[in-house]
């Protein structure tokens, strides 16, 4: 933590993979004591609401919200802590034990603690349905380097080993997880749009994946307005950056997209791109197409 202080960071993401539950909670509390914002995964051996009370500002990935909504979450946590269950073997249990009154109760606790959620549902959808779409014909693969694409394979290989029953379970889990969106919204939980795009996360493409994530939001119960707010207002509020972002007014950062159709009518209209203003430079549709062609040519030229 002292090293992070010296680096003048202002935001920390924590994962549970290398920390004991006790050390995880200690780390969250220490981060908050030093005044940072913190988001992260949550060890399945801990209660989601207990971690929220410890100070976690945002939950990365909606699956942890599904665990909170399980009526026997305490039992699941205890069995993961005793090694009777693992993360993977606990997943079908939390799906089967979903209880809407429990979800409302727990999500209200999160809202009262100002714990937000970044659902990252597009990744779950891609993995859940990879038996139906292996993404080998995706045009966006032409814009990714071979090294990045190679990191996708481990998750694909793992999914391809699933039995028919496990494939059915992962699809059911995705649907149930996505159905939590309006429950979280109604409970007052801040929903921040994000996709987890990057290495290791198969076929979650930078840029495109955000539009896909927003489509999932509206498909599963958020209004287009709520969805756009999650993509434009929630992030700056979470990071205390409202003075720089979140509105069109003098003195704010003017990174804009110009659309030909209204996304408040249909969220897919976020993809009717006519131009972009980025870092004080305007790119019309021809300039944007040229950038794509250059990126594709660069990738193709790499050994």
């Amino acid at each position: 933590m002292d090293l992070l202080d010296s680096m003048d960071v202002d935001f920390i993401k924590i994962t549970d993979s290398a920390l004991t539950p006790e050390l995880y909670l200690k780390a969250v509390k220490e981060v908050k004591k030093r005044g940072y914002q913190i988001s992260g995964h949550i060890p399945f051996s801990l209660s989601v609401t207990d971690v929220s009370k410890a100070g976690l500002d945002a939950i990365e990935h909606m699956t942890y919200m599904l665990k909170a909504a399980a009526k026997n979450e305490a039992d699941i946590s205890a069995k993961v802590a005793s090694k009777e269950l693992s993360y993977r073997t606990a997943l079908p249990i939390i799906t089967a034990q979903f209880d809407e009154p429990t979800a409302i109760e727990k999500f209200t606790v999160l809202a009262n603690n100002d714990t937000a959620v970044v659902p990252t549902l597009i990744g779950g959808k891609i993995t859940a349905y990879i038996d139906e779409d292996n993404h080998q014909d995706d045009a966006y693969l032409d814009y990714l380097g071979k090294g990045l694409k190679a990191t996708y394979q481990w998750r694909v290989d793992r999914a391809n080993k699933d039995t028919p029953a496990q494939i059915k379970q992962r699809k059911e889990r995705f649907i149930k997880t996505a159905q939590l969106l309006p429950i979280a919204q109604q409970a007052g939980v801040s929903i921040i749009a994000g996709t987890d795009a990057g290495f290791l996360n198969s076929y979650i493409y930078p840029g495109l994946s955000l539009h896909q994530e927003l489509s999932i939001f509206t498909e599963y119960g958020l209004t287009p307005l709520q969805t756009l707010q999650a993509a434009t207002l929630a992030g700056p509020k979470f990071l205390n950056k409202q003075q720089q972002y979140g509105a069109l007014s003098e003195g704010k950062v003017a990174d804009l997209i110009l659309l030909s159709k209204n996304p408040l009518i249909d969220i897919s209209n976020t993809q009717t791109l006519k131009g972009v203003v980025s870092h004080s430079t305007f790119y019309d549709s021809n300039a944007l197409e040229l950038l794509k062609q250059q990126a594709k040519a660069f990738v193709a030229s790499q050994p």
Side-chain angles (χ1 to χ4, degrees):
M1 193 65 68
D2 292 338
L3 177 60
L4 294 176
D5 280 340
S6 70
M7 295 168 64
D8 197 29
V9 304
D10 56 10
F11 171 76
I12 293 171
K13 177 182 176 182
I14 186 171
T15 65
D16 64 304
S17 57
L19 299 175
T20 64
E22 295 76 19
L23 189 56
Y24 179 97
L25 286 174
K26 184 177 180 180
V28 171
K29 292 175 182 178
E30 182 64 24
V31 167
K32 294 311 298 176
K33 187 169 72 175
R34 299 196 186 203
Y36 300 124
Q37 290 289 96
I38 180 171
S39 75
H41 303 171
I42 297 175
F44 261 34
S45 53
L46 293 174
S47 160
V48 174
T49 47
D50 283 348
V51 174
S52 170
K53 292 173 184 176
L56 192 72
D57 294 302
I59 297 167
E60 297 287 347
H61 318 308
M62 203 73 164
T63 306
Y64 300 106
M65 300 285 279
L66 184 61
K67 177 176 178 285
K71 57 188 174 183
N72 65 338
E73 185 194 10
D75 180 59
I76 294 170
S77 295
K79 288 181 177 178
V80 172
S82 68
K83 311 297 185 187
E84 185 177 343
L85 289 174
S86 67
Y87 173 85
R88 290 269 289 173
T89 56
L91 289 176
I93 298 174
I94 66 174
T95 306
Q97 293 295 318
F98 167 79
D99 178 65
E100 185 166 342
T102 299
I104 295 170
E105 176 187 348
K106 298 285 188 65
F107 294 177
T108 300
V109 172
L110 298 178
N112 290 338
N113 292 334
D114 289 327
T115 302
V117 62
V118 186
T120 64
L121 291 164
I122 182 59
K125 183 176 183 180
I126 288 168
T127 301
Y129 292 93
I130 203 162
D131 61 305
E132 299 179 27
D133 182 358
N134 65 14
H135 296 275
Q136 295 310 295
D137 295 326
D138 289 355
Y140 270 71
L141 289 173
D142 292 337
Y143 301 103
L144 302 180
K146 293 177 182 178
L148 177 59
K149 286 187 285 189
T151 69
Y152 289 173
Q153 197 59 42
W154 78 275
R155 196 180 296 273
V156 173
D157 290 343
R158 187 178 69 179
N160 287 340
K161 293 175 182 177
D162 283 347
T163 65
Q166 289 171 322
I167 293 172
K168 181 174 181 288
Q169 287 172 353
R170 74 193 188 201
K171 292 177 181 178
E172 291 172 347
R173 183 166 60 253
F174 166 75
I175 293 170
K176 185 61 66 179
T177 303
Q179 288 172 339
L180 297 176
L181 282 166
I183 301 175
Q185 179 79 28
Q186 291 162 17
V189 176
S190 176
I191 298 172
I192 305 172
T195 67
D196 216 25
F199 74 100
L200 298 178
N201 294 327
S202 310
Y203 312 116
I204 307 177
Y205 304 121
L208 176 66
S209 58
L210 180 59
H211 298 285
Q212 295 171 323
E213 182 81 1
L214 300 186
S215 292
I216 294 171
F217 281 15
T218 59
E219 180 182 355
Y220 284 91
L222 297 192
T223 67
L225 176 59
Q226 290 169 338
T227 298
L228 289 173
Q229 289 171 334
T232 58
L233 301 181
K237 181 180 179 182
F238 175 79
L239 294 171
N240 296 315
K241 298 289 187 181
Q242 294 105 314
Q243 289 187 345
Q244 296 103 311
Y245 302 96
L248 296 178
S249 60
E250 185 176 354
K252 292 186 183 292
V253 176
D255 284 347
L256 308 172
I257 59 172
L258 308 180
L259 307 175
S260 62
K261 295 183 181 179
N262 190 351
L264 290 172
I265 297 173
D266 183 339
I267 200 65
S268 67
N269 287 337
T270 59
Q271 297 189 63
T272 60
L273 199 61
K274 299 298 290 184
V276 171
V277 177
S278 177
H279 296 85
S280 303
T281 300
F282 174 67
Y283 301 87
D284 63 16
S285 55
N286 290 330
L288 293 173
E289 183 59 32
L290 178 60
L291 288 174
K292 288 173 61 179
Q293 291 174 6
Q294 291 172 342
K296 184 176 179 179
F298 175 79
V299 169
S301 70
Q302 299 306 296

